[in-house]
Amino acid sequence: MKKQVLALLTLCCCSASMAQQKTRNLSIEVFGAQNTVGVNYDSRFKDNSGLGYRVGIGYGYGNSSGLFKQNIKGVGVPAELNYLLGNKSSKLELGLGLSIGMYHVEEVGLIYKKPVAPETKGKMETYTTKENHFGYFFFGDIGYRYQRENGFMFRAGISPSFNFGDKYGLDRSLLFPYIGLGWSF
């Protein structure tokens, strides 16, 4: 009986130490899926295999000008499946994910006001709308990652994005750069 208990404890300790070998990291990201800045948690699904996931929270800000001025800011939550290719600390990072969030949209535009009386002329007036709404976009990650099992982690690349063009899809530039600094443990 003592040998069986000892064997069971040894097996549990070995399993726990194997589970602790899974590389995880916390990082701060600028641009990319975070839009402006955010914090991410990244982990491999199994030990130090290439397949993993990343979740985070970030703040995004953007504006556009022209005939209509639009200002968007809000908090988004990106979630991604990713794969790391490479044997040592330098790896190719490939990922695909979705970012959802709540955004405040302020838009200034022009509207034509019809004349009140037939002998007067119509005029152009500005209007402003402000609303909070849910938004999303899909994104990818194609980049370089320097990551050790423990210690400094660096990632940089481009993040293509798209949506389905519905009222909740957020418009972003097609290719958005990203850079991340963190710590693996």
Side-chain angles (χ1 to χ4, degrees), residues 146-168:
Y146 175 82
Q147 176 176 311
R148 298 182 303 192
E149 286 187 29
N150 290 303
F152 178 73
M153 189 275 300
F154 167 81
R155 54 191 292 270
I158 56 171
S159 181
S161 67
F162 64 95
N163 63 50
F164 292 118
D166 59 8
K167 68 179 185 177
Y168 300 112

Side-chain angles (χ1 to χ4, degrees), residues 5 9 17 24 26-27 29-30 36 39 62-63 75 82 88 93 102 106 128 130 133 135 153 156 164 174 181 185:
V5 170
L9 285 174
S17 69
R24 302 172 303 259
L26 287 173
S27 65
E29 181 177 307
V30 179
T36 303
V39 176
N63 61 22
V75 176
N82 56 37
K88 304 265 181 186
E93 174 181 60
M102 288 300 295
E106 184 176 332
T128 301
K130 296 179 182 182
H133 69 82
M153 189 275 300
F164 292 118
L174 181 60
L181 300 171
F185 53 95

Side-chain angles (χ1 to χ4, degrees), residues 5 9 22 28 40 42-43 53-54 71 75-76 90 92 94 100 103 112 140 151 154 159-160 163 167-168 181:
V5 170
L9 285 174
K22 183 179 354 179
I28 295 174
N40 294 310
D42 184 284
S43 181
Y53 65 94
R54 178 172 67 103
N71 182 329
V75 176
S90 292
L92 171 65
L94 302 171
I100 58 174
Y103 298 91
Y112 177 74
F154 167 81
S159 181
N163 63 50
K167 68 179 185 177
Y168 300 112
L181 300 171

Side-chain angles (χ1 to χ4, degrees), residues 107-175:
E107 189 172 61
V108 177
L110 293 173
I111 190 168
Y112 177 74
K113 290 283 191 168
K114 292 183 179 180
V116 179
E119 62 274 354
T120 61
K121 294 182 180 180
K123 61 181 179 175
M124 298 294 284
E125 291 184 0
T126 61
Y127 71 91
T128 301
T129 60
K130 296 179 182 182
E131 62 183 14
N132 294 320
H133 69 82
F134 165 81
Y136 80 93
F137 61 91
F138 291 95
F139 65 92
D141 281 337
I142 304 165
Y144 169 78
R145 184 187 290 201
Y146 175 82
Q147 176 176 311
R148 298 182 303 192
E149 286 187 29
N150 290 303
F152 178 73
M153 189 275 300
F154 167 81
R155 54 191 292 270
I158 56 171
S159 181
S161 67
F162 64 95
N163 63 50
F164 292 118
D166 59 8
K167 68 179 185 177
Y168 300 112
L170 295 177
D171 290 329
R172 293 175 17 119
S173 61
L174 181 60
L175 295 175

